[in-house]
Amino acid sequence: MNTLTNRQKEIFDFIKSKISTEGYPPTRMEISKFFGFKSPNAAEDHLKALKKKGFIDILSGTSRGISLSDHDDSIPVIGLVSAGSPILAEENIEKKMPALPISSHGIDYYLRVKGDSMIDVGIFDNDLIAVNKDMKVKKNAIVIARIDDDVTVKTLIEISSNKVVLKAENENYDDIVLNPNKVNLNFEGTCVGLIRNIS
């Protein structure tokens, strides 16, 4: 994405967001209105630049003739994680989606949440959480933890060399208290954003 100017990246992200949320790309007029351009010609110039750099294709003769090219660095959506498999293994990937502008941090994958253990922080069954796998894991962050073969989403409330406490944000569930020397514990990333119930 380094080949794009800041404004080109903003427009590219806007196009991806529109396609993801509405199922079709924006018109030149919609792009102009959203970014405050005086005319659709300014939007057209940016679209031509994105096409030249290989990020989109433009179909002539239609107001919504914009499609994402194969250059697009879409983000995998991880569904139910197979026991013991790497989280980004092919069998765990449901589909791919654009990197929506919901976080200032990079997004490595979206994880589909199963269950109601995090409802008190607004994360519900079937939501997608955006995950950065390289952020330093910190206390009070919502983390994706692999405990032996199982992957879970919880709030990290304590971490030391001999004790890790993962909190469910639902009073019906107990905290998970672990000794990292006695179980195989790995952090698969930190939650950096949320998308509500996209099917």
Side-chain angles (χ1 to χ4, degrees), residues 80-86 91-92 146 149:
L80 195 62
V81 177
S82 302
S85 72
E91 66 264 27
N92 299 331
R146 182 187 293 273
D149 284 343

Side-chain angles (χ1 to χ4, degrees), residues 145-152 166 176 178 183-186:
R146 182 187 293 273
I147 305 164
D148 293 327
D149 284 343
D150 295 321
V151 173
T152 187
L166 299 168
I176 300 171
L178 305 166
V183 297
N184 189 5
L185 171 67
N186 290 293

